[in-house]
Amino acid sequence: MAVYTIKKAEKAPLASKGVLLWLRVNLFSDVTNSLFTLLGCYFIYLIVPPLINWMIIDATWSGTKEEIINDGARWIFIFEKFDQFIYGFYPEALHWRPNLAALISIFFILSMNFISNLKIKIGLILVYPIISFVLISGGFGLEIIPTEKWGGLMLTILVAAVGIIVSFPIGIVLALGRQSKMPIVRTLCIAFIEFIRGVPLITILFMASVILPLFFHDGIEFDKLLRALIGITLFQAAYIAEVVRGGLQAIPRGQYEAADSLGLSYWQGMILIILPQALKISIPNLVGSFISLFKDTTLVLIIGLFDVLAMVSLTNSDTNWLGFEVEGYVFVTMIYWVFCFSMSQYSKSIERKYNTEH
Amino acid sequence: MSAQENMITMQKVNKWYGDFHVLKDINLTIKKGEKVVICGPSGSGKSTTIRCLNYLEKFQKGKININGTDLIDDVKVVRHIRAEVGMVFQHFNLFPHLSVLENLLLAPTWVHKKPRKEAIKTAMYYLERVKIADQADKYPNQLSGGQQQRVAIARCLCINPTIMLFDEPTSALDPEMVSEVLDVMVELADEGITMICVTHEMGFAKKVADRVIFMDAGQIIEENEPHEFFDNPQSDRLKLFLDQILSH
Ligand SMILES: Nc1ncnc2c1ncn2[C@@H]1O[C@H](COP(=O)(O)OP(=O)(O)OP(=O)(O)O)[C@@H](O)[C@H]1O
Ligand SMILES: [Mg+2]
């Protein structure tokens, strides 16, 4: 027989420190690793210094077109056309209106993090779009700006925002419908989702712009932007539905049973128990889908709307400013990247916030 | 109300999963305040039987009456029955996105429309009773299995049920936590609530049960008061079953 004394917990040994050691362990641990490290450094050397030269050191930041002497980026083109990239053909004197709407949007998004009262939250969600819409489109004493004048980054954000916000509840309802015990509801939802997912967005946009007006005969002019928004929203809703369905499937049956056994109704169970959990695990996929929507909005240019990319292409054909394509496209690239990257960071932060699985 | 009143009557209840006949002519009458333990081999239909009582499972033939209400496929009736019958599950089924307290407040505030203040008072009272009031603000995943099951029992008590169903409440627990949950259940039993418990905890059955029921292959094979049941089994199948659960 043997009896052992109980050991006290000891501190873990300190990890060895030092730059050289870190380098050896991580970058040069063996021959292959060293080879890839060197190769990687070579690529960085090939790409980064010229890029910095072009974008910053050799770039032209001010002056007129005629004064350009450096062979780096000629950012004066961007400054010159900046308003068009951002606002499209929206009257210059009224740029404060979309600006204000953007400011309100930022406050709206931030406030969602801090306000915990559900009623105020829902109130804001309902009021915010109306205020922004009136600000941009006019009415209530504000001069009305027809949607043909909307464009640029403003239009891109607007299309993406409407697509995301409106498609979200529709997608959730579709996902629930797809799981419904009622055969007709289920079949309709499946048919809708599978139809949309089987067709490219371009096709849906074309259909929205050609077919939708057929339902509104008598020559009622159906706003082009509205048609695009309907098309994009329906498209996005089908994808949201599939993402949410994935989340719903991951919720154990026991959760439904516990909700039922406590006497919660179907909708109470869904809204209070199932959806919060299903949406939480779906956040990464939802944001992924929002990001692709943000990039896909650029397809509205094929039905004649001028989003930020279309505006850049358009200004490139300005005879006064020929040959500035590169600067224009680098600029849009950066815009898209900043937005998509922010969305993915934001998603990570809410994931952390709602993480209760310790 | 007389003490002899029937709380639960099941008459010739039959259920099929597709072609599979899970419950065969289940007849069962349970009086107010009675404690009944159901045991039997895996797949014999124990869970299905008690899940019929709060309509988590539908049944195709037969009649169930709960405290005077016939259980029929009607939203209002089912809601009424579920306010009357509480259920504790093998895997606790707490809501992981809500704190312990919120888990308890859910049904009282949303289903029974109690004011939140009052609901909190009741919730804290029951958390106290299951000896876990100090964990009210934690999330379920921060608790041990035994603690979670006690929270689940408290959540059930918050709807003030007249009947409590337990489906193997201790079989997902580590051995050292079984007794803390059984203790709570014994206390509950002493207070006179009607209780049906699927369990293989024979000590518990002997201590609290008025009756023990043995099910096999979707039928009730034998029922008796606990000492006779365990010491003097009649059917061969029960004898075999008792041998098996005693021999490990
Ligand atoms: N949803 C279902 N579909 C088909 N068959 C099912 C379903 N649920 C249960 N069954 C079957 O019905 C039978 C009875 O199941 P039940 O869960 O009532 O058994 P049990 O006595 O509780 O067993 P255990 O001790 O394993 O919990 C089993 O054979 C099981 O396989
Ligand atoms: Mg079972």
Side-chain angles (χ1 to χ4, degrees), chain A residues 118 181 253-265 268 272-274 276-277 280 356-358, chain B residues 51 54 56-57 79 82 85 87 89 93-98 106-107 110-111 113 139 141-142 155 159:
Chain A
L118 202 66
K181 291 197 184 97
R253 253 181 59 148
Q255 294 289 308
Y256 291 87
E257 293 175 351
D260 282 346
S261 77
L262 288 172
L264 297 176
S265 69
Q268 284 175 333
L272 298 168
I273 308 297
I274 307 300
Q277 298 183 59
K280 192 180 86 186
T356 57
E357 329 272 315
H358 299 272
Chain B
R51 288 155 60 89
N54 67 348
L56 279 187
E57 300 286 355
R79 196 178 304 154
R82 284 178 181 163
V85 183
M87 185 173 231
F89 300 86
N93 297 355
L94 295 176
F95 305 128
H97 62 302
L98 299 176
L106 206 68
W110 288 93
V111 183
K113 313 282 182 209
Y139 284 92
N141 293 321
Q142 297 168 298
R155 181 174 71 179
I159 59 172

Coordinates of all heavy atoms in Angstrom, one line a residue, chain A residues 118 181 253-265 268 272-274 276-277 280 356-358, chain B residues 51 54 56-57 79 82 85 87 89 93-98 106-107 110-111 113 139 141-142 155 159:
Chain A
L118 N -35.8 46.9 -24.4 CA -36.2 46.4 -25.7 C -37.2 47.3 -26.4 O -37.1 47.4 -27.6 CB -36.9 45.0 -25.4 CG -36.9 44.1 -26.6 CD1 -35.5 43.7 -27.0 CD2 -37.8 42.9 -26.3
K181 N -44.5 23.1 -39.5 CA -45.2 21.8 -39.6 C -46.3 21.9 -40.6 O -46.9 20.9 -41.0 CB -45.8 21.4 -38.3 CG -44.8 21.0 -37.2 CD -45.4 20.3 -36.1 CE -44.4 20.0 -35.0 NZ -44.4 20.9 -33.9
R253 N -32.9 19.8 -29.4 CA -34.4 19.6 -29.2 C -34.9 19.9 -27.8 O -36.0 20.4 -27.6 CB -34.7 18.1 -29.5 CG -35.4 17.9 -30.8 CD -35.7 16.5 -31.0 NE -36.6 16.0 -29.9 CZ -37.5 15.0 -30.1 NH1 -37.7 14.5 -31.2 NH2 -38.2 14.6 -29.1
G254 N -34.0 19.7 -26.9 CA -34.3 19.9 -25.5 C -34.7 21.4 -25.2 O -35.6 21.6 -24.4
Q255 N -34.2 22.3 -26.0 CA -34.5 23.7 -25.8 C -36.0 24.0 -26.2 O -36.7 24.7 -25.5 CB -33.6 24.6 -26.6 CG -32.1 24.6 -26.1 CD -32.0 25.3 -24.8 OE1 -32.4 26.4 -24.6 NE2 -31.4 24.6 -23.8
Y256 N -36.4 23.4 -27.3 CA -37.8 23.5 -27.8 C -38.7 22.9 -26.7 O -39.7 23.4 -26.4 CB -38.0 22.8 -29.1 CG -37.3 23.4 -30.3 CD1 -36.0 23.1 -30.6 CD2 -38.0 24.3 -31.1 CE1 -35.4 23.6 -31.8 CE2 -37.4 24.8 -32.3 CZ -36.1 24.5 -32.6 OH -35.5 25.0 -33.7
E257 N -38.3 21.7 -26.2 CA -39.1 21.0 -25.3 C -39.3 21.7 -24.0 O -40.4 21.8 -23.4 CB -38.6 19.5 -25.1 CG -38.7 18.7 -26.3 CD -38.0 17.3 -26.1 OE1 -37.4 17.1 -25.1 OE2 -38.2 16.5 -27.0
A258 N -38.2 22.3 -23.5 CA -38.2 23.1 -22.3 C -39.2 24.3 -22.5 O -40.0 24.5 -21.6 CB -36.9 23.5 -21.9
A259 N -39.0 24.9 -23.6 CA -39.9 26.1 -23.9 C -41.4 25.6 -23.9 O -42.2 26.3 -23.3 CB -39.5 26.8 -25.2
D260 N -41.6 24.6 -24.6 CA -43.0 24.0 -24.7 C -43.5 23.7 -23.3 O -44.6 24.0 -22.9 CB -43.1 22.8 -25.6 CG -43.0 23.2 -27.1 OD1 -43.2 24.3 -27.4 OD2 -42.8 22.3 -27.9
S261 N -42.7 22.9 -22.6 CA -43.2 22.4 -21.3 C -43.5 23.5 -20.3 O -44.3 23.4 -19.4 CB -42.2 21.4 -20.7 OG -41.1 22.1 -20.1
L262 N -42.8 24.7 -20.5 CA -43.1 25.8 -19.6 C -44.4 26.6 -20.0 O -44.8 27.5 -19.3 CB -41.9 26.8 -19.6 CG -40.7 26.3 -18.8 CD1 -39.6 27.3 -19.0 CD2 -41.0 26.2 -17.3
G263 N -44.9 26.2 -21.2 CA -46.2 26.8 -21.6 C -46.0 28.0 -22.6 O -46.9 28.6 -22.9
L264 N -44.7 28.2 -23.0 CA -44.5 29.3 -23.9 C -45.2 29.0 -25.3 O -45.2 27.8 -25.7 CB -43.0 29.5 -24.2 CG -42.2 29.9 -23.0 CD1 -40.7 30.0 -23.4 CD2 -42.6 31.3 -22.5
S265 N -45.8 30.0 -25.9 CA -46.4 29.8 -27.2 C -45.3 29.6 -28.3 O -44.1 29.8 -28.0 CB -47.3 30.9 -27.6 OG -46.4 32.1 -27.8
Q268 N -43.4 32.9 -28.7 CA -42.7 33.2 -27.5 C -41.4 32.4 -27.5 O -40.3 32.8 -27.2 CB -43.5 33.0 -26.2 CG -44.5 34.1 -26.0 CD -45.4 33.7 -24.8 OE1 -45.6 32.6 -24.5 NE2 -46.0 34.8 -24.2
L272 N -37.9 34.2 -27.7 CA -37.2 34.4 -26.4 C -36.1 33.3 -26.3 O -35.1 33.5 -25.6 CB -38.2 34.2 -25.2 CG -39.3 35.3 -25.2 CD1 -40.3 34.9 -24.2 CD2 -38.6 36.6 -24.8
I273 N -36.3 32.1 -26.8 CA -35.4 31.0 -26.6 C -34.6 30.6 -27.8 O -33.4 30.6 -27.8 CB -36.2 29.8 -26.1 CG1 -37.1 30.1 -24.9 CG2 -35.2 28.7 -25.7 CD1 -36.4 30.6 -23.7
I274 N -35.3 30.3 -28.8 CA -34.6 29.6 -30.0 C -33.8 30.6 -30.8 O -32.6 30.5 -31.0 CB -35.6 28.9 -30.8 CG1 -36.4 27.9 -30.0 CG2 -34.9 28.1 -32.0 CD1 -35.6 26.9 -29.3
P276 N -32.6 33.8 -30.3 CA -31.4 34.4 -29.7 C -30.2 33.5 -29.8 O -29.1 33.9 -30.1 CB -31.8 34.7 -28.3 CG -33.3 34.7 -28.2 CD -33.8 33.8 -29.3
Q277 N -30.5 32.2 -29.5 CA -29.3 31.2 -29.6 C -28.9 30.9 -31.0 O -27.7 30.9 -31.3 CB -29.7 29.9 -28.9 CG -30.0 30.1 -27.4 CD -30.3 28.8 -26.7 OE1 -29.5 27.9 -26.7 NE2 -31.5 28.6 -26.2
K280 N -27.1 33.9 -32.5 CA -25.8 34.1 -32.0 C -24.8 33.2 -32.6 O -23.7 33.6 -33.0 CB -25.8 33.8 -30.5 CG -24.6 34.3 -29.8 CD -24.6 34.0 -28.3 CE -24.2 32.6 -28.0 NZ -24.3 32.2 -26.6
T356 N -21.8 33.6 -23.8 CA -22.1 33.2 -22.4 C -21.7 31.7 -22.1 O -21.9 31.2 -21.1 CB -23.6 33.3 -22.0 OG1 -24.3 32.5 -22.9 CG2 -24.1 34.7 -22.1
E357 N -21.0 31.1 -23.1 CA -20.5 29.7 -22.9 C -19.1 29.8 -22.3 O -18.2 29.9 -23.0 CB -20.5 29.0 -24.2 CG -21.5 29.4 -25.2 CD -22.8 28.6 -25.1 OE1 -22.7 27.4 -24.9 OE2 -23.8 29.2 -25.1
H358 N -19.0 29.8 -21.0 CA -17.7 29.9 -20.4 C -17.0 28.6 -20.2 O -17.7 27.6 -19.9 CB -17.8 30.7 -19.1 CG -18.3 32.1 -19.4 ND1 -17.5 33.2 -19.7 CD2 -19.6 32.6 -19.4 CE1 -18.3 34.2 -19.8 NE2 -19.5 33.9 -19.7
Chain B
R51 N -44.2 12.0 -21.2 CA -44.2 13.2 -22.1 C -45.6 13.4 -22.8 O -45.9 14.4 -23.3 CB -43.2 13.0 -23.2 CG -41.8 13.3 -22.6 CD -40.7 12.6 -23.5 NE -40.7 13.1 -24.8 CZ -40.0 14.1 -25.2 NH1 -39.2 14.8 -24.4 NH2 -40.0 14.6 -26.5
N54 N -47.9 16.0 -20.6 CA -47.9 17.5 -20.9 C -47.9 17.8 -22.4 O -47.6 18.8 -22.8 CB -46.8 18.2 -20.1 CG -45.4 17.8 -20.7 OD1 -45.3 16.9 -21.5 ND2 -44.4 18.6 -20.3
L56 N -46.0 16.9 -24.8 CA -44.8 17.0 -25.6 C -44.9 16.0 -26.7 O -44.3 16.1 -27.8 CB -43.6 16.8 -24.8 CG -43.1 18.0 -23.9 CD1 -41.7 17.7 -23.3 CD2 -43.0 19.3 -24.8
E57 N -45.6 14.9 -26.4 CA -45.8 13.9 -27.4 C -47.3 13.8 -27.6 O -48.1 13.8 -26.7 CB -45.3 12.5 -27.0 CG -43.8 12.4 -26.7 CD -43.0 12.5 -28.0 OE1 -43.6 12.4 -29.1 OE2 -41.8 12.5 -27.9
R79 N -52.2 24.7 -23.4 CA -51.6 25.7 -22.5 C -52.0 25.6 -21.1 O -51.2 25.7 -20.2 CB -51.9 27.1 -23.1 CG -51.0 28.2 -22.5 CD -51.4 29.6 -23.1 NE -51.3 29.6 -24.6 CZ -52.0 30.4 -25.3 NH1 -52.9 31.3 -24.8 NH2 -51.9 30.4 -26.6
R82 N -50.2 22.7 -19.5 CA -48.8 23.0 -19.2 C -48.6 23.9 -18.1 O -47.5 24.0 -17.5 CB -48.1 23.5 -20.5 CG -47.9 22.3 -21.5 CD -47.3 22.8 -22.7 NE -47.1 21.6 -23.6 CZ -46.9 21.7 -24.9 NH1 -46.9 22.9 -25.5 NH2 -46.8 20.7 -25.7
V85 N -48.8 21.2 -15.2 CA -47.8 20.1 -15.2 C -46.4 20.7 -15.4 O -46.2 21.3 -16.5 CB -48.1 19.1 -16.3 CG1 -47.2 17.9 -16.2 CG2 -49.6 18.6 -16.1
M87 N -42.2 19.9 -15.9 CA -41.4 18.8 -16.2 C -39.9 19.1 -16.1 O -39.4 20.2 -16.4 CB -41.6 18.4 -17.7 CG -40.8 17.2 -18.1 SD -41.3 16.6 -19.8 CE -41.7 14.9 -19.5
F89 N -36.1 17.6 -16.9 CA -35.5 16.7 -18.0 C -34.2 16.1 -17.5 O -33.5 16.6 -16.6 CB -35.3 17.5 -19.3 CG -36.5 18.1 -19.9 CD1 -37.0 19.4 -19.4 CD2 -37.2 17.4 -20.8 CE1 -38.1 19.9 -20.0 CE2 -38.4 18.0 -21.4 CZ -38.8 19.2 -21.0
N93 N -31.9 21.0 -19.7 CA -32.5 21.9 -20.7 C -32.7 23.4 -20.1 O -33.7 24.0 -20.4 CB -33.9 21.4 -21.2 CG -33.7 20.1 -21.9 OD1 -32.6 19.6 -22.1 ND2 -34.8 19.5 -22.3
L94 N -31.8 23.9 -19.4 CA -31.8 25.3 -19.1 C -31.5 26.1 -20.3 O -30.9 25.6 -21.3 CB -30.8 25.6 -18.0 CG -31.1 24.9 -16.6 CD1 -30.0 25.2 -15.6 CD2 -32.4 25.4 -16.1
F95 N -31.9 27.4 -20.3 CA -31.6 28.2 -21.5 C -30.3 28.9 -21.3 O -30.1 29.7 -20.5 CB -32.7 29.2 -21.6 CG -34.1 28.6 -21.7 CD1 -35.1 29.0 -20.8 CD2 -34.4 27.6 -22.6 CE1 -36.4 28.4 -20.9 CE2 -35.6 27.0 -22.6 CZ -36.6 27.4 -21.8
P96 N -29.3 28.5 -22.1 CA -27.9 28.9 -21.8 C -27.7 30.4 -22.0 O -26.7 30.9 -21.5 CB -27.1 28.1 -22.8 CG -28.0 27.7 -23.9 CD -29.4 27.6 -23.2
H97 N -28.5 31.1 -22.8 CA -28.3 32.5 -23.1 C -28.9 33.4 -22.0 O -28.8 34.6 -22.1 CB -28.8 32.9 -24.4 CG -30.3 32.7 -24.6 ND1 -30.9 31.5 -24.4 CD2 -31.3 33.6 -24.8 CE1 -32.2 31.6 -24.5 NE2 -32.5 32.9 -24.8
L98 N -29.6 32.8 -21.0 CA -30.2 33.5 -20.0 C -29.6 33.2 -18.6 O -29.2 32.0 -18.4 CB -31.7 33.2 -19.9 CG -32.5 33.6 -21.1 CD1 -34.0 33.1 -21.0 CD2 -32.5 35.1 -21.4
L106 N -38.9 33.6 -16.9 CA -39.5 33.5 -18.2 C -40.9 33.1 -18.2 O -41.8 33.9 -18.7 CB -38.7 32.5 -19.0 CG -38.7 32.7 -20.5 CD1 -37.9 34.0 -20.8 CD2 -38.0 31.5 -21.2
A107 N -41.2 31.9 -17.7 CA -42.6 31.5 -17.7 C -43.6 32.4 -16.9 O -44.6 32.8 -17.4 CB -42.7 30.0 -17.3
W110 N -43.9 35.8 -18.9 CA -44.4 35.8 -20.3 C -45.7 35.0 -20.4 O -46.6 35.3 -21.2 CB -43.4 35.3 -21.3 CG -42.3 36.2 -21.5 CD1 -41.1 36.3 -20.8 CD2 -42.3 37.3 -22.4 NE1 -40.4 37.3 -21.3 CE2 -41.0 38.0 -22.3 CE3 -43.2 37.8 -23.4 CZ2 -40.7 39.1 -23.0 CZ3 -42.8 38.9 -24.1 CH2 -41.6 39.5 -24.0
V111 N -45.8 33.8 -19.7 CA -46.9 33.0 -19.8 C -48.0 33.3 -18.8 O -49.2 33.5 -19.2 CB -46.5 31.5 -19.7 CG1 -47.8 30.6 -19.9 CG2 -45.4 31.1 -20.6
K113 N -48.1 36.1 -17.0 CA -48.2 37.6 -16.9 C -48.1 38.1 -15.5 O -48.9 39.0 -15.2 CB -49.6 38.0 -17.6 CG -49.9 37.3 -18.9 CD -49.1 38.0 -20.0 CE -49.5 37.3 -21.3 NZ -48.4 37.4 -22.3
Y139 N -24.6 32.2 -15.4 CA -25.2 31.5 -16.5 C -25.2 30.0 -16.3 O -24.3 29.5 -15.6 CB -24.5 31.9 -17.8 CG -24.9 33.3 -18.2 CD1 -24.1 34.4 -17.9 CD2 -26.0 33.5 -19.0 CE1 -24.5 35.7 -18.2 CE2 -26.4 34.8 -19.4 CZ -25.6 35.9 -19.0 OH -26.0 37.1 -19.4
N141 N -24.1 27.5 -17.8 CA -22.9 26.8 -18.1 C -21.8 27.0 -17.1 O -20.8 26.4 -17.1 CB -22.4 27.1 -19.5 CG -23.3 26.6 -20.6 OD1 -23.9 25.6 -20.5 ND2 -23.6 27.4 -21.6
Q142 N -22.1 28.0 -16.2 CA -21.1 28.2 -15.1 C -21.4 27.3 -13.9 O -20.6 27.4 -12.9 CB -21.0 29.6 -14.7 CG -20.6 30.6 -15.9 CD -20.9 32.0 -15.5 OE1 -22.0 32.4 -15.3 NE2 -19.8 32.8 -15.5
R155 N -37.1 26.3 -11.7 CA -37.8 26.9 -12.8 C -39.2 26.3 -13.0 O -40.1 27.0 -13.3 CB -36.9 26.6 -14.1 CG -37.6 27.3 -15.3 CD -36.7 27.1 -16.5 NE -36.6 25.8 -17.0 CZ -35.9 25.4 -18.1 NH1 -35.2 26.3 -18.8 NH2 -35.9 24.2 -18.5
I159 N -43.8 28.0 -11.9 CA -45.1 28.1 -12.6 C -46.1 27.5 -11.6 O -47.3 27.4 -12.0 CB -45.1 27.4 -13.9 CG1 -44.7 25.9 -13.8 CG2 -44.2 28.1 -14.9 CD1 -45.0 25.2 -15.2

